[in-house]
Amino acid sequence: MLLSDRILFLDGEALVIDKPEGLPVDPPRDGSLSLENHLDSLRFGFKRWPLAVHRLDRDTSGCLLLARNPKAHGRFTRAFEGREVEKQYLAILEGVPTSDHGTIDLPLGKTSTAEAGWRMVVDPKGKPSVSHWEMIAVEGDRALLRFRPETGRTHQLRVHALEGLGFPIVGDPVYGRGGTKTRTMLHAERLVVKRDVKPSIIAEAAFPDRFAALGFSAPEGAAPTRG
């Protein structure tokens, strides 16, 4: 797997890759490969390795922004923290919502137990978490949704799907019925970061084959299917 073949956007300060599912952004405890093992191939003439600006879960594929210098990293990080970044995700749910669109506003907090480990839960005292959603298609007893999160909390869409809509994302091993051999069906399809002087960073990741394998087609206007 060559991440240099999965470039969605590239200029002097920014790089967006189509991260494959199964690749963690941060080095895992088990010592398996992560984004760090690929950073040297993403220098494209720069001496520094690019720096990830945000995180996608191991199972989540799609648009991942990296900064090519520390100043850009700081600006992009502030844009994410200030809710100035447009993000779109696709998810397949283990069920069909009763309406076709809406907004989920559920604050999230972290909990941990010795038996089950840590997870995110709805917590009135937690951090604000807002996700807008619309239903794109239905196949059998599953639905393809597009999420537009305003905030970027850990596991936000996974918890909002379960607690806000009543159905987990297909394959989710923590909040759904997935296991160790399944992949959570979540894909970061579009990312837009506005900049003061330079043109906006706009990246779109193709509809993944794993979604097509469950009977869904790419939404109208989406990039061609890709594994």
Side-chain angles (χ1 to χ4, degrees):
M1 175 182 61
L2 294 175
L3 294 190
S4 57
D5 293 335
R6 302 177 70 95
I7 304 302
L8 303 175
F9 180 94
L10 177 65
D11 70 4
E13 64 177 19
L15 169 68
V16 181
I17 63 170
D18 182 358
K19 187 188 84 67
E21 74 277 4
L23 180 71
V25 174
D26 296 315
R29 293 181 180 179
D30 62 12
S32 57
L33 295 179
S34 68
L35 176 66
E36 184 176 286
N37 297 97
H38 297 270
L39 292 178
D40 195 59
S41 69
L42 299 176
R43 290 188 297 114
F44 295 107
F46 279 36
K47 292 183 179 180
R48 294 188 180 97
W49 284 356
L51 302 169
V53 177
H54 59 124
R55 297 294 183 269
L56 296 178
D57 292 339
R58 180 195 289 251
D59 285 357
T60 303
S61 55
C63 299
L64 179 69
L65 174 65
L66 296 91
R68 303 190 71 194
N69 63 69
K71 285 188 177 180
H73 186 270
R75 290 200 310 274
F76 299 152
T77 298
R78 290 190 292 273
F80 272 87
E81 292 173 345
R83 304 188 188 184
E84 300 169 0
V85 178
E86 177 189 328
K87 298 166 286 184
Q88 289 183 186
Y89 290 77
L90 294 174
I92 300 176
L93 265 57
E94 286 280 16
V96 180
T98 55
S99 59
D100 59 6
H101 69 281
T103 296
I104 302 166
D105 186 352
L106 293 173
L108 301 178
K110 185 177 181 180
T111 187
S112 178
T113 64
E115 298 78 19
W118 72 272
R119 60 187 289 157
M120 302 300 289
V121 296
V122 175
D123 181 353
K125 296 181 180 179
K127 295 182 178 180
S129 304
V130 179
S131 304
H132 307 288
W133 66 274
E134 60 178 319
M135 189 153 51
I136 304 298
V138 175
E139 288 292 337
D141 58 356
R142 290 171 170 170
L144 174 66
L145 269 62
R146 174 176 285 129
F147 284 99
R148 293 185 175 89
E150 281 190 20
T151 51
R153 308 305 177 202
T154 301
H155 295 182
Q156 176 174 318
L157 298 181
R158 297 164 64 184
V159 180
H160 277 186
L162 177 62
E163 301 294 345
L165 297 173
F167 304 107
I169 296 175
V170 171
D172 194 322
V174 176
Y175 307 99
R177 300 194 293 269
T180 57
K181 296 183 179 180
T182 64
R183 297 289 190 199
T184 305
M185 291 293 159
L186 184 60
H187 176 67
E189 69 163 346
R190 179 178 167 87
L191 181 72
V192 179
V193 184
K194 294 181 180 180
R195 297 185 286 187
D196 292 335
V197 179
K198 294 186 177 183
S200 297
I201 298 167
I202 301 176
E204 296 182 351
F207 192 73
D209 278 343
R210 61 195 178 116
F211 280 42
L214 294 183
F216 290 94
S217 300
E220 183 176 352
T225 303
R226 177 178 186 175

